[in-house]
Amino acid sequence: MHQHIEWDDPGKTSVSEYFKNDPNHDAPRRGDILSARYQNRIVRVKVETYREDEGVSVGSVAAILDAHGHRFKTHGKLSLDDIVRLPDDKRAIEHWDEDEK
């Protein structure tokens, strides 16, 4: 069973928006690491399976980080190794603002 997460809107870091006109952009595969935002944290998810009909990756939480790169074992109701569903429209490009370091 997976943990239900209300992912943050990726806004300007949306993977879907960035690649919307790229016909060569592949769907996630088993073993890929994806990023998303949850309560202002960066969450990395290791893909176990991709459900193309739903546009959703299912995988385990591999890391929870803040904007400075500090790692956490838990945040809110999310913990490392939790199984989660990550919709394509919630995937985010991971970047670090120089001002935040």
Side-chain angles (χ1 to χ4, degrees):
M1 188 60 142
H2 67 275
Q3 175 76 284
H4 178 75
I5 296 299
E6 291 293 329
W7 299 104
D8 296 351
D9 185 327
K12 67 180 181 179
T13 62
S14 170
V15 169
S16 297
E17 187 65 24
Y18 185 81
F19 287 107
K20 73 180 178 185
N21 296 319
D22 184 354
N24 298 318
H25 182 66
D26 293 330
R29 294 183 298 257
R30 182 180 178 89
D32 286 352
I33 304 293
L34 307 178
S35 291
R37 306 289 188 277
Y38 172 64
Q39 298 179 349
N40 296 314
R41 294 282 195 252
I42 297 166
V43 178
R44 294 181 185 155
V45 176
K46 184 175 182 182
V47 177
E48 295 296 324
T49 188
Y50 180 70
R51 297 183 178 159
E52 191 168 350
D53 59 327
E54 298 177 51
V56 172
S57 298
V58 178
S60 59
V61 174
I64 303 169
L65 305 103
D66 66 12
H68 305 285
H70 300 117
R71 294 177 175 267
F72 301 86
K73 292 183 180 181
T74 63
H75 180 70
K77 65 179 187 174
L78 189 63
S79 299
L80 290 179
D81 298 322
D82 280 351
I83 302 299
V84 296
R85 293 171 50 92
L86 177 56
D88 286 345
D89 66 344
K90 299 299 183 181
R91 290 172 45 205
I93 296 170
E94 193 170 317
H95 70 89
W96 303 95
D97 289 335
E98 290 299 317
D99 295 340
E100 293 180 4
K101 285 187 179 181

